[in-house]
Amino acid sequence: MGRPWTLLLFLFLFFFLFLFLFFWSTLSLRPPFLGFDPLFSELTAPSSNQLPDFPCKPPYQNSFPFCDTSLPTPTRAHSLVSLLTLPEKISLLSNNASGIPRLGIPPYEWWSESLHGIAANGPGVSFNGTIPSATSFPQIIVQAASFNRSLWSSVASAIAVEARAMYNVGQAGLTFWAPNINIFRDPRWGRGQETPGEDPMLTSAFAIEYVRALQGGSWERSEEIRNGYGGQRVMSENGESHEKLMVSACCKHYTAYDLESWHNFASYNFNAVVSQQDLEDTYQPPFRSCIQRGKASCLMCSYTAVNGVPACASEELLRIARKDWGFQGYITSDCDAVATVYEYQNYTKSPEDAVADVLEAGVDINCGTYMVWKTESAVKQGKVKEKEIDRALFNLFSVQLRLGLFDGDPRRGQFGNLGPLDVCTPEHKTLALEAARQGIVLLKNDKKFLPLNKNVAETLAVIGPMASTSKLGGAYTGTPCSSKTLYEELKQYVKKISYAPGCIDVSCLSDVAFDDAIRTAKEADYVVIFAGIDTTQEAEELDRPSLLLPGKQASLVSSVAAASKCPLILVLTGGGPLDVSFAEANPRIASILWVGYPGEAGGKALAEIIFGEANPGGRLPMTWYPESFTRVSMTDMRMRADPTRDYPGRTYRFYTGSRIYGFGHGLSYSTFSYQFLSAPSKIGLSGTLKDGSVKGTLKQEGKQVYSVDYIPVDEMQNCISLRFSVQVSVVNYGKLDGSHVVMLFSRGPEGLKGSPEIQLIGFDRLHTVSYKHTETSFLVNPCEHLSVVDEYGKRILPLGNHILSLGDIDHIVSVEID
């Protein structure tokens, strides 16, 4: 009698073990409370040393219509949506989307990060596996300082390769929430380091290059050359493009987001009051470019409310992206940004109303758990229609289909051959070094103190706590391929080197270690001192209260400068601008270099520049303001100056106050001269005006607002016919070859109220040879580059003289109706 009971007990236990394992693998383990849980993100990180799970496995799961690769992407997406139950649909509205076992669909983590290399911030990425590290390129603000489109594209393309390689071994997803293309409006902003700077034209250009390359444009072009094929493009019935993606890029944070924590304001509860003029002129252009020209497949709406409406609940903002700009992809909320609509912004009366509002506005997925827990009750209350959920899932599945996630075994796909050998390659490491070289900015160089002669500099003292850290990536950084400190790299260039931190850490609250630093400096031929900020001073959820060096750093720099045998070299770290006017004015500080967050190869790049193996050519992508600017409220979103209220304006385009260093500032070991080789002196508009358009001035209530004539751009046709080329020559009068950034600016006719003081309309980075000239050209579209935005948010093209500036020379182009 014992055996049957034993057998039954065994079967009973086996049955419950089976049920436990089944539910463990299929249920979403989200915590039933507000928002995204950091602990949960660790639990749901991809497991290591395994291939990614995938749908459409033969022989049974590949028979669904959504697995049929011969069908158009929209057809497959609609088919998949139609097979789901309402509870299954709702379970997919989170970044950690549940699996659908009955359809053979595994769970998927939408949140991976790749700002300047594969990052560990999102739960979609793990470095605990076959691939323990990834190339860490310079932070975006440093890359922007290179003003080099081809460099940005190359870096993003390398990141895409490493992303696919990590996906293929189960250590990453394929949807990456980068780049950050918000305008660096206020120098105190903790996340300014993540952006390409303060200029909308520069930021737009970066967005286009980064997104195109990350999504596979550069890789596919190179593969086409090598293998004779290119990327697949599928057209839907209505002519929409559904191009295949290598990985998906996401432009964030839409829009007017640039505050973390200032006084009683935080990103979660801040209402950005922005004029239509500033929206059209400054905040929106990067997102429009990212969508229309970069073809981004993802858009992230921000925590911020814009003019009283949370961005993720704004039908107007999301309609502009989809309808006006033609966005094709999915829209995700920032993490917990659906919850904040109710919990922090107090915009709705209930959580269900918040879910209803964001879905109706056009959000497709919630980073966090709020929609998973609140959507079902919103449906039952009649606040959310199932068709809105279907639309969201259609957008999500369309992107996954474009990524090939429903095409079967990824190892047999176009990118299936990528793996561990494609990460941290010699080529990618070299690219990281070149990116750092091009992004480092020489701010001051009295009497050509730099470069140092390594045959003469026998002893070198290195001072400052940042010299001994290998954490050189800034925010959104992963595990770098290699990590050497700035001190270790300088060691390679001198016979004897000594080090003293001077401060215990970057905060530098004590001068107890000053004496040792001063003694060390006195004993050396040359001194390099590191000062500045790091991510303990500026970061997500951390804005700076001051633009001065933290703590007693300035005192340390001045004390060491006074004691050293000869003037010292000051190296500044961090992404945000610093008021170092004391150093700029001190003759004992001969040279100042800004390295920002230079990435894994930053130390080597800096050493090469200090000792003349590389010629610096970086330019600041943001204005460096004096400390007095901190009196300006961070919540004031206005760009234009208002003298009647003692408001100085923001960014180089509108700021009227004093500067420590201006936008575009950057020195070289060479000197350069410019010449306009060819450019028109007159542009006639008569052939581009629509019927009925007339010359006029903008009037309001019978009063003239502008004192110059203009043409509304939307009343012009065939603007392309107005485009003209500006051919320029650059001569390098130095002894060193090197790359040089050429920047073309424009100034409109005087008297046009609210127009920029000056604005960037073109840039190029050239390789120049010592004592030889190099030529380049800029294509100028007057409707785009010479137009301005009026107070109603409309673009107008002023008539009259427009001044093109190149260095210290000008050229006048007259825009006329002939």
Side-chain angles (χ1 to χ4, degrees):
M1 295 294 293
R3 282 189 175 182
W5 283 109
T6 303
L7 180 60
L8 286 173
L9 180 61
F10 175 80
L11 291 173
F12 181 81
L13 292 173
F14 180 83
F15 176 75
F16 274 93
L17 177 62
F18 172 80
L19 287 178
F20 174 78
L21 291 174
F22 176 79
F23 283 106
W24 178 270
S25 64
T26 58
L27 287 178
S28 174
L29 303 178
R30 300 177 183 83
F33 47 77
L34 166 67
F36 187 83
D37 180 28
L39 175 61
F40 177 61
S41 74
E42 296 295 326
L43 293 173
T44 58
S47 54
S48 59
N49 294 311
Q50 66 178 30
L51 296 172
D53 199 1
F54 59 93
C56 301
K57 293 188 184 77
Y60 305 112
Q61 297 172 351
N62 63 342
S63 59
F64 297 108
F66 61 79
C67 297
D68 186 348
T69 58
S70 68
L71 296 176
T73 295
T75 302
R76 297 171 71 187
H78 282 305
S79 172
L80 180 47
V81 173
S82 70
L83 295 173
L84 299 173
T85 66
L86 180 59
E88 288 172 337
K89 293 175 181 178
I90 293 173
S91 74
L92 298 173
L93 298 179
S94 168
N95 63 285
N96 184 52
S98 296
I100 312 295
R102 67 182 183 85
L103 299 180
I105 299 174
Y108 180 75
E109 177 55 68
W110 286 86
W111 180 10
S112 294
E113 298 283 358
S114 63
L115 184 63
H116 55 105
I118 308 301
N121 298 67
V125 171
S126 169
F127 288 102
N128 181 25
T130 308
I131 300 176
S133 58
T135 310
S136 178
F137 295 96
Q139 181 58 281
I140 298 305
I141 195 71
V142 181
Q143 290 189 47
S146 72
F147 284 81
N148 188 339
R149 288 181 175 87
S150 62
L151 176 71
W152 303 334
S153 179
S154 296
V155 169
S157 183
I159 294 172
V161 168
E162 297 196 352
R164 265 286 175 172
M166 292 185 70
Y167 167 77
N168 286 345
V169 297
Q171 290 182 236
L174 288 177
T175 44
F176 289 85
W177 291 350
N180 182 340
I181 55 170
N182 293 115
I183 294 297
F184 198 168
R185 172 188 63 97
D186 192 289
R188 294 162 286 186
W189 185 32
R191 301 189 71 177
Q193 56 170 296
E194 301 173 28
T195 76
E198 71 182 26
D199 181 69
M201 188 266 185
L202 174 64
T203 303
S204 297
F206 179 87
I208 293 165
E209 298 299 331
Y210 183 100
V211 170
R212 283 178 177 174
L214 193 75
Q215 294 191 157
S218 299
W219 195 89
E220 286 185 343
R221 284 195 294 273
S222 64
E223 287 296 294
E224 184 177 1
I225 294 171
R226 286 199 296 267
N227 302 322
Y229 67 86
Q232 302 177 44
R233 184 184 295 271
V234 181
M235 302 299 291
S236 67
E237 294 86 347
N238 61 3
E240 292 180 344
S241 170
H242 293 278
E243 187 175 358
K244 292 291 186 179
L245 300 168
M246 187 173 186
V247 299
S248 169
C250 191
C251 290
K252 63 184 186 183
H253 311 80
Y254 185 66
T255 184
Y257 167 75
D258 47 23
L259 180 148
E260 299 302 307
S261 56
W262 186 79
H263 293 193
N264 295 325
F265 298 93
S267 56
Y268 307 110
N269 61 21
F270 178 51
N271 175 34
V273 178
V274 188
S275 69
Q276 289 301 311
Q277 186 175 38
D278 285 337
L279 269 176
E280 174 63 27
D281 184 55
T282 298
Y283 297 107
Q284 294 287 64
F287 291 98
R288 181 170 57 243
S289 295
C290 191
I291 290 170
Q292 291 185 329
R293 298 180 61 189
K295 305 298 182 184
S297 53
C298 169
L299 181 68
M300 177 184 285
C301 53
S302 73
Y303 299 114
T304 305
V306 180
N307 296 327
V309 183
C312 291
S314 175
E315 289 188 56
E316 179 183 3
L317 287 176
L318 301 190
R319 177 196 56 77
I320 288 171
R322 282 213 184 271
K323 302 298 182 182
D324 296 356
W325 300 342
F327 173 63
Q328 296 175 38
Y330 73 97
I331 297 176
T332 179
S333 74
D334 203 341
C335 294
D336 284 337
V338 175
T340 61
V341 171
Y342 170 69
E343 305 287 346
Y344 288 91
Q345 297 280 1
N346 299 315
Y347 182 72
T348 61
K349 294 181 179 179
S350 70
E352 288 78 12
D353 287 329
V355 169
D357 281 4
V358 300
L359 280 170
E360 186 176 355
V363 171
D364 300 312
I365 194 170
N366 169 214
C367 177
T369 62
Y370 212 65
M371 283 171 64
V372 170
W373 293 108
K374 305 299 181 183
T375 301
E376 183 177 1
S377 59
V379 172
K380 290 179 178 178
Q381 294 174 29
K383 296 179 177 180
V384 169
K385 297 177 181 179
E386 190 168 355
K387 68 178 183 180
E388 292 173 344
I389 301 174
D390 290 348
R391 178 226 71 223
L393 294 176
F394 172 80
N395 291 333
L396 293 168
F397 289 143
S398 294
V399 170
Q400 289 184 318
L401 285 161
R402 293 170 64 190
L403 288 163
L405 287 174
F406 291 90
D407 292 352
D409 190 342
R411 291 172 297 181
R412 299 186 179 184
Q414 183 179 2
F415 309 106
N417 62 325
L418 297 175
L421 294 180
D422 298 290
V423 181
C424 289
T425 64
E427 293 80 9
H428 291 178
K429 292 179 181 179
T430 299
L431 181 60
L433 174 60
E434 181 60 24
R437 284 191 196 114
Q438 293 195 24
I440 292 174
V441 182
L442 179 62
L443 299 173
K444 176 184 179 182
N445 197 27
D446 283 355
K447 300 177 182 179
K448 298 184 178 181
F449 187 79
L450 289 179
L452 298 183
N453 186 335
K454 60 184 176 182
N455 296 320
V456 175
E458 294 191 356
T459 60
L460 179 69
V462 177
I463 311 293
M466 285 298 290
S468 62
T469 181
S470 58
K471 296 179 180 179
L472 302 172
Y476 286 83
T477 296
T479 303
C481 306
S482 58
S483 55
K484 285 189 176 181
T485 68
L486 299 166
Y487 168 74
E488 287 173 322
E489 292 292 1
L490 288 169
K491 240 172 130 174
Q492 312 301 317
Y493 286 83
V494 290
K495 296 178 180 178
K496 183 180 179 182
I497 190 169
S498 54
Y499 171 67
C503 299
I504 297 173
D505 54 24
V506 172
S507 297
C508 197
L509 299 178
S510 170
D511 59 5
V512 68
F514 278 24
D515 288 345
D516 183 46
I518 292 170
R519 186 167 50 253
T520 301
K522 285 181 177 180
E523 296 172 354
D525 295 330
Y526 294 96
V527 177
V528 177
I529 185 166
F530 291 85
I533 52 180
D534 64 4
T535 53
T536 66
Q537 307 291 314
E538 57 171 359
E540 192 166 357
E541 300 189 7
L542 180 63
D543 293 326
R544 288 185 293 154
S546 172
L547 302 181
L548 300 175
L549 291 175
K552 299 179 181 294
Q553 281 194 34
S555 178
L556 173 66
V557 172
S558 297
S559 298
V560 170
S564 60
K565 292 180 182 178
C566 63
L568 58 75
I569 301 159
L570 172 60
V571 178
L572 298 172
T573 63
L578 294 162
D579 182 345
V580 288
S581 50
F582 80 96
E584 174 66 25
N586 190 342
R588 296 291 302 168
I589 300 173
S591 302
I592 304 176
L593 288 151
W594 175 71
V595 297
Y597 297 106
E600 66 177 51
K604 181 171 177 57
L606 174 65
E608 289 179 350
I609 288 173
I610 287 176
F611 288 97
E613 292 184 2
N615 195 348
R619 303 284 195 101
L620 291 179
M622 68 294 199
T623 301
W624 282 33
Y625 300 83
E627 173 67 5
S628 59
F629 189 85
T630 59
R631 293 196 295 266
V632 175
S633 170
M634 275 195 77
T635 62
D636 195 327
M637 303 295 290
R638 291 177 298 164
M639 303 305 299
R640 289 155 175 81
D642 184 355
T644 64
R645 299 185 179 181
D646 197 27
Y647 183 69
R650 296 179 181 275
T651 79
Y652 80 98
R653 300 167 70 225
F654 302 104
Y655 178 61
T656 57
S658 62
R659 298 162 173 81
I660 308 302
Y661 299 112
F663 173 87
H665 176 75
L667 306 176
S668 170
Y669 296 153
S670 301
T671 56
F672 299 89
S673 69
Y674 303 104
Q675 181 182 359
F676 283 102
L677 298 178
S678 66
S681 57
K682 175 183 173 182
I683 300 294
L685 304 182
S686 59
T688 63
L689 301 180
K690 294 180 181 178
D691 293 339
S693 295
V694 294
K695 180 176 70 170
T697 54
L698 185 63
K699 296 179 181 292
Q700 183 180 15
E701 297 178 356
K703 295 182 180 180
Q704 185 170 307
V705 177
Y706 295 125
S707 60
V708 296
D709 292 343
Y710 69 93
I711 297 293
V713 171
D714 60 7
E715 293 185 9
M716 300 177 66
Q717 57 189 0
N718 197 21
C719 277
I720 293 178
S721 66
L722 296 176
R723 294 187 304 182
F724 60 89
S725 178
V726 177
Q727 192 82 14
V728 302
S729 173
V730 182
V731 180
N732 179 347
Y733 284 109
K735 295 180 181 179
L736 295 175
D737 297 350
S739 60
H740 179 65
V741 175
V742 183
M743 306 173 76
L744 182 66
F745 293 88
S746 76
R747 295 196 302 274
E750 294 183 4
L752 194 58
K753 181 182 177 182
S755 63
E757 300 286 325
I758 190 170
Q759 62 184 0
L760 182 70
I761 64 171
F763 61 89
D764 194 10
R765 188 165 185 131
L766 308 174
H767 178 74
T768 65
V769 178
S770 175
Y771 296 107
K772 293 190 176 181
H773 81 277
T774 307
E775 295 182 6
T776 189
S777 62
F778 300 97
L779 186 62
V780 177
N781 182 343
C783 294
E784 177 183 356
H785 298 121
L786 303 185
S787 65
V788 297
V789 177
D790 68 20
E791 62 183 303
Y792 305 105
K794 302 295 183 182
R795 283 209 165 265
I796 57 175
L797 178 59
L799 303 177
N801 290 339
H802 293 255
I803 301 173
L804 305 183
S805 297
L806 188 68
D808 57 356
I809 63 171
D810 295 335
H811 176 81
I812 296 177
V813 177
S814 179
V815 177
E816 305 174 0
I817 298 179
D818 47 7

